[in-house]
Amino acid sequence: MNIWFRQHRFALGAAFGQLRKAPGSFLFNVLVVAVALALPFAGVTLLDNVRPMSEQLSVDPEISLFMKTDAPREQAQALAPQLQQILASSRAKVSFIPREQALENLKAKSGLTDVIETLGDNPLPDSYVMKLEGFTSRAADAERVDGIAEQMQALPGVDSVQVDSAWVKRLAALLGVLRLVLLLLAVTLGVVVIAVVFNTIRLQVLTQRDEIAVSKLLGATDNFIHRPFYYTGALLGLCAGAVALGAVALALRPLNAAIAEFARLYASEFQLATLPPLGLAGLLAISAGLGLVGAMLSVQRHLARLS
């Protein structure tokens, strides 16, 4: 075990030694990789801030139940106990709206009294409006509302049931699309990171060709020769990830200033925050892993040609 630690310590020291020989080239590569990482890191930060807010968003959906136009008033009023039974597990305010009241409301809101009077008979049905309380935009709550609407649709004399919280599903679908776009973007830019590290390590291998040849003549194993390059790639990815996270953190300040003004209009104090420590560590590990993958591909390809 001591030998294994000693070998890796030597490889890490060799990697730092190579970085000290060409710091300008290393810093330039770090900036290039950091630019590629900054966009997906910013997307992850944004989704991490929006996700809990969207899940806890109170929606208080309304369900509108419309009777058939030929359904008698007695049948419509008789549905009240059945609706209360369906809504027994939920907090809800149930209001019965007779067709006469619905017509008066339409006249008052539309301003088309003369046009409506030309229709003759009242075309509007009796209806119920149920406002549910304590619901959020979580998928489970959306399924509960849909289940309640389906039960109401099966009641006798019911023509249609409408749920006005469809925007919640649109929000969830939009977040799903954003996650997919972010994933595709992250994969694409991850390939860019691997390509940059691949080329960086290739240049180092070509620069150290003579040293590698001498090391092999002295009996150095392939693993001994490869390790410093692996550490170089991992360090490049790690440093680039740290720079990208720092850039995202700095960008949040002016962005929060603009968001604060917008949120104040909605009596909210919403602010974008950086990822928690575990999330930051995860992104740093991913960036280091991408650098390591690029280094491994480059070393295995180019050192094989020198053998």
Side-chain angles (χ1 to χ4, degrees):
M1 184 63 70
N2 289 333
I3 296 176
W4 185 86
F5 279 115
R6 192 181 304 117
Q7 289 175 344
H8 280 270
R9 187 166 58 249
F10 174 82
L12 183 60
F16 277 112
Q18 289 298 323
L19 299 183
R20 286 195 296 269
K21 290 181 181 179
S25 176
F26 177 76
L27 291 176
F28 178 78
N29 288 321
V30 165
L31 289 177
V32 172
V33 175
V35 170
L37 292 174
L39 194 55
F41 283 7
V44 170
T45 302
L46 179 61
L47 286 179
D48 184 74
N49 280 271
V50 173
R51 178 181 53 81
M53 181 187 69
S54 64
E55 289 182 350
Q56 299 300 328
L57 189 63
S58 179
V59 294
D60 291 342
E62 283 188 357
I63 298 179
S64 299
L65 182 150
F66 300 96
M67 302 295 297
K68 295 179 180 178
T69 53
D70 58 352
R73 176 65 52 81
E74 294 76 11
Q75 184 182 24
Q77 293 177 333
L79 285 184
Q82 300 180 59
L83 295 177
Q84 293 289 355
Q85 184 177 1
I86 294 174
L87 297 170
S89 60
S90 307
R91 290 181 298 165
K93 296 179 180 179
V94 181
S95 301
F96 175 68
I97 302 178
R99 62 182 65 186
E100 296 81 11
Q101 181 182 343
L103 183 63
E104 292 300 322
N105 292 341
L106 179 62
K107 290 180 180 179
K109 293 181 179 179
S110 65
L112 301 176
T113 303
D114 296 337
V115 176
I116 295 174
E117 288 178 351
T118 60
L119 296 176
D121 294 337
N122 184 355
L124 300 180
D126 294 327
S127 62
Y128 283 90
V129 175
M130 290 145 285
K131 186 172 183 179
L132 308 182
E133 299 177 353
F135 283 75
T136 67
S137 59
R138 291 179 182 272
D141 284 349
E143 291 178 1
R144 283 180 59 198
V145 174
D146 290 341
I148 291 172
E150 290 177 1
Q151 293 181 58
M152 293 179 176
Q153 183 67 61
L155 295 176
V158 174
D159 183 36
S160 64
V161 178
Q162 295 181 356
V163 181
D164 72 343
S165 60
W167 66 272
V168 178
K169 295 183 178 179
R170 297 191 187 102
L171 176 61
L174 177 61
L175 291 177
V177 171
L178 290 178
R179 291 190 190 97
L180 180 59
V181 170
L182 180 60
L183 177 61
L184 296 176
L185 180 65
V187 171
T188 302
L189 295 178
V191 173
V192 173
V193 171
I194 292 175
V196 171
V197 176
F198 181 95
N199 188 62
T200 300
I201 300 302
R202 179 182 70 85
L203 295 177
Q204 284 195 8
V205 170
L206 295 177
T207 302
Q208 298 177 242
R209 177 184 299 179
D210 295 337
E211 297 179 24
I212 294 171
V214 172
S215 298
K216 287 193 172 185
L217 290 175
L218 294 176
T221 63
D222 287 342
N223 287 335
F224 181 85
I225 296 173
H226 293 179
R227 284 193 196 100
F229 296 106
Y230 293 165
Y231 275 107
T232 300
L235 286 172
L236 175 56
L238 183 64
C239 293
V243 172
L245 289 175
V248 171
L250 290 176
L252 290 181
R253 294 185 178 182
L255 189 58
N256 275 330
I259 290 176
E261 188 65 27
F262 178 77
R264 195 176 297 114
L265 299 176
Y266 291 89
S268 173
E269 296 181 357
F270 175 73
Q271 291 280 290
L272 294 174
T274 57
L275 293 172
L278 187 60
L280 296 175
L283 292 182
L284 289 176
I286 290 173
S287 57
L290 290 174
L292 179 60
V293 170
M296 293 176 65
L297 294 175
S298 183
V299 167
Q300 293 175 5
R301 176 180 175 84
H302 295 98
L303 285 184
R305 294 181 176 180
L306 299 179
S307 302

